[in-house]
Amino acid sequence: MKLRINCETCDARKINEENYKEFSQIKIYTEELLVDDRSKEVLNRLPFNIKAEEVRSKDLSEDGPNKNISINGIYDITPESSVADGTAIVINGVLKVAPGSQEALKKFSRITVNGLILCPKSIAALLPLPGLTINGMTKAYPDEYVLLENRYKLDKYFPMRVPENSGYYAASFIYDSDITIDFGKLVGKNIKFSTEKVYIRKSHIETAIPLFNIEAEIVEIPDDCSVVVADQNEIDANFVDTNGESLYIIGNAHISAANKEALERIKSLIVEGTITADADCEQLLKERYVKCDKIIISKGKVIEDVAIATIDKGTLEGALSGIIVRDCALLKIDKDVPPELIRQRLKVRDCAKVTCTSEQKGAVSSVSSDVAFIGTDSIKSLFGNLFGSGAEESYENAAPSAFEDDTKYVNAEYYEL
């Protein structure tokens, strides 16, 4: 999963490292970034790529007391949570409530959750609490179970470390990452799991299934495959060196023409998602054992992974098979490119922003997906302000995302990490 944040002010001082570990790439485009010594260390540890016109160091104590909290990501309420009585909080993401947090919840005058509440069954039985608004869903787990990561990797060390007679819950799924996992030892220790979905290797099925809740969806995976859990995967030589030649990918995969040799090494490829491949790779995919939800073959010239790309009329007219612009911070389209030529020859994927004329906007929108902004404003510098003087216009003309599972976008004037 990738995250892109476009904002005028980004406040990183309250950043919780756990909230951002799931993202393989985080890009922030902002005019002003607020940091302190602690947040600088966290930002350096995580895959942040920040383009800011101004970076300011400011201690939180300078802001004074604040009983209104806004969270984008994950927020935890535990019995030890310390907040001022009457605090109001808005959570755009996930609220995790730990067992025994009933008294801590009473300190909040209002809780608004736009997303998911993850709580023990004893808390779920009390819902809805006064002042609690849920725009999403609630998932409840047994009070005595330990809360795992939402997508939990079960490795060979787990049976050795886990105490007897204990239970574990993962909100999304648990996956069997290693053929050497001793599920017999887990049975002997009376271990129980609860989750929505479980990926189990064929050889482990008979022993492992009784450990999981009866409602869990069971997905059988081949013994010889490597399981890769990432929303977006670029299959290249390094990917195959790291993960092997038999792959089970929970997410999407991309294969470029430059990585045909890596594809030749693959024996089997199972993808729970979409495979996007250049036309030069189409025949190789047909020759291998490939299973996926969908295959998209990209035909034409590909421009990708650059900070700024420019499309002019001559380039587009000369590309008879079309041009695909993918994973760029900014795409600039020259004013003289006719809208009809854009519709016929151009595709835009996974870009932060496209600048074009108002006459071109309709055509650009029709050939774009996973684009944060389509607008007519200017930029102040190479990596600077993505909003310019036309910020309001850009918000109004933001293009809808067709692949929201791949990239999460946050577009705001003020954003708090």
Side-chain angles (χ1 to χ4, degrees):
M1 178 72 71
K2 293 184 288 186
L3 174 65
R4 297 197 180 189
I5 301 167
N6 305 303
C7 59
E8 292 186 5
T9 300
C10 180
D11 190 344
R13 294 171 295 170
K14 294 182 182 180
I15 185 171
N16 183 339
E17 186 170 355
E18 294 298 321
N19 293 350
Y20 298 92
K21 283 186 174 179
E22 66 175 290
F23 296 106
S24 60
Q25 180 190 86
I26 308 168
K27 292 185 178 181
I28 298 177
Y29 300 90
T30 183
E31 287 189 356
E32 180 183 54
L33 176 68
L34 300 178
V35 295
D36 55 17
D37 290 340
R38 185 197 68 85
S39 61
K40 288 178 185 177
E41 294 178 2
V42 175
L43 293 173
N44 287 333
R45 286 195 295 268
L46 294 171
F48 276 92
N49 187 345
I50 301 171
K51 311 299 182 186
E53 291 201 348
E54 181 182 6
V55 179
R56 294 178 56 202
S57 293
K58 184 179 179 183
D59 190 83
L60 280 169
S61 61
E62 299 176 39
D63 292 341
N66 188 354
K67 297 177 73 172
N68 295 310
I69 303 173
S70 179
I71 300 293
N72 295 290
I74 300 173
Y75 186 78
D76 291 277
I77 297 179
T78 69
E80 294 77 30
S81 293
S82 178
V83 297
D85 289 339
T87 295
I89 185 170
V90 176
I91 301 162
N92 300 306
V94 180
L95 170 62
K96 290 184 177 181
V97 184
S101 299
Q102 287 87 339
E103 291 302 315
L105 286 168
K106 293 178 182 178
K107 296 180 180 179
F108 294 89
S109 63
R110 187 176 74 255
I111 302 176
T112 301
V113 181
N114 300 311
L116 170 69
I117 293 182
L118 192 57
C119 65
K121 291 182 178 179
S122 60
I123 300 291
L126 303 176
L127 300 180
L129 297 169
L132 174 63
T133 302
I134 306 172
N135 299 315
M137 64 183 300
T138 300
K139 290 187 178 182
Y141 59 92
D143 285 58
E144 66 276 11
Y145 275 37
V146 176
L147 190 59
L148 302 173
E149 293 180 4
N150 289 347
R151 303 189 292 183
Y152 189 73
K153 176 182 179 181
L154 200 63
D155 60 28
K156 64 181 180 181
Y157 303 108
F158 189 91
M160 306 175 196
R161 302 166 61 187
V162 68
E164 294 183 354
N165 303 312
S166 52
Y168 298 87
Y169 175 81
S172 297
F173 59 79
I174 295 173
Y175 64 101
D176 175 358
S177 70
D178 196 321
I179 190 64
T180 65
I181 295 175
D182 188 350
F183 280 95
K185 182 170 286 191
L186 293 176
V187 172
K189 288 187 173 184
N190 190 33
I191 303 303
K192 296 297 181 183
F193 295 101
S194 180
T195 189
E196 288 194 351
K197 195 173 187 178
V198 57
Y199 297 85
I200 298 292
R201 295 176 187 275
K202 184 176 182 179
S203 296
H204 294 158
I205 287 286
E206 186 174 346
T207 307
I209 291 304
L211 301 175
F212 292 86
N213 54 309
I214 192 66
E215 304 90 354
E217 178 185 351
I218 307 299
V219 179
E220 184 177 312
I221 58 178
D223 286 345
D224 63 346
C225 70
S226 295
V227 182
V228 180
V229 179
D231 293 287
Q232 196 65 37
N233 302 272
E234 181 70 35
I235 298 180
D236 54 19
N238 182 63
F239 188 90
V240 177
D241 289 342
T242 302
N243 298 295
E245 299 173 351
S246 296
L247 301 166
Y248 193 108
I249 296 175
I250 304 174
N252 300 313
H254 172 247
I255 310 168
S256 67
N259 293 318
K260 283 180 63 177
E261 291 185 3
L263 180 58
E264 290 174 348
R265 294 168 55 190
I266 291 177
K267 297 176 181 177
S268 68
L269 177 62
I270 303 173
V271 178
E272 278 200 10
T274 299
I275 297 176
T276 303
D278 288 348
D280 290 349
C281 301
E282 185 174 10
Q283 186 58 38
L284 279 174
L285 283 172
K286 292 178 179 179
E287 295 171 358
R288 273 143 187 80
Y289 178 77
V290 175
K291 289 180 65 178
C292 65
D293 293 342
K294 183 180 180 182
I295 294 180
I296 298 175
I297 301 299
S298 301
K299 297 181 179 180
K301 180 181 178 181
V302 177
I303 301 172
E304 61 184 338
D305 198 25
V306 296
I308 298 178
T310 301
I311 295 294
D312 57 43
K313 183 179 178 182
T315 300
L316 207 52
E317 286 179 334
L320 299 181
S321 299
I323 296 177
I324 299 173
V325 181
R326 180 168 54 216
D327 198 22
C328 296
L330 174 64
L331 169 62
K332 297 193 294 183
I333 299 177
D334 282 0
K335 296 179 180 180
D336 63 345
V337 180
E340 191 57 34
L341 185 60
I342 292 173
R343 291 189 178 93
Q344 294 173 354
R345 300 282 177 88
L346 183 64
K347 293 186 182 299
V348 184
R349 303 285 183 267
D350 193 23
C351 292
K353 185 176 182 181
V354 179
T355 61
C356 60
T357 67
S358 57
E359 291 78 14
Q360 295 168 334
K361 282 182 184 177
V364 173
S365 297
S366 70
V367 300
S368 298
S369 62
D370 211 12
V371 175
F373 292 98
I374 298 175
T376 60
D377 53 357
S378 61
I379 61 172
K380 292 182 178 179
S381 60
L382 184 63
F383 293 117
N385 175 25
L386 285 188
F387 302 99
S389 59
E392 295 181 1
E393 182 180 16
S394 295
Y395 280 114
E396 293 172 359
N397 293 283
S401 170
F403 300 100
E404 293 181 355
D405 289 341
D406 301 335
T407 303
K408 291 183 178 179
Y409 283 98
V410 177
N411 306 312
E413 291 186 5
Y414 179 88
Y415 182 82
E416 186 176 83
L417 291 176

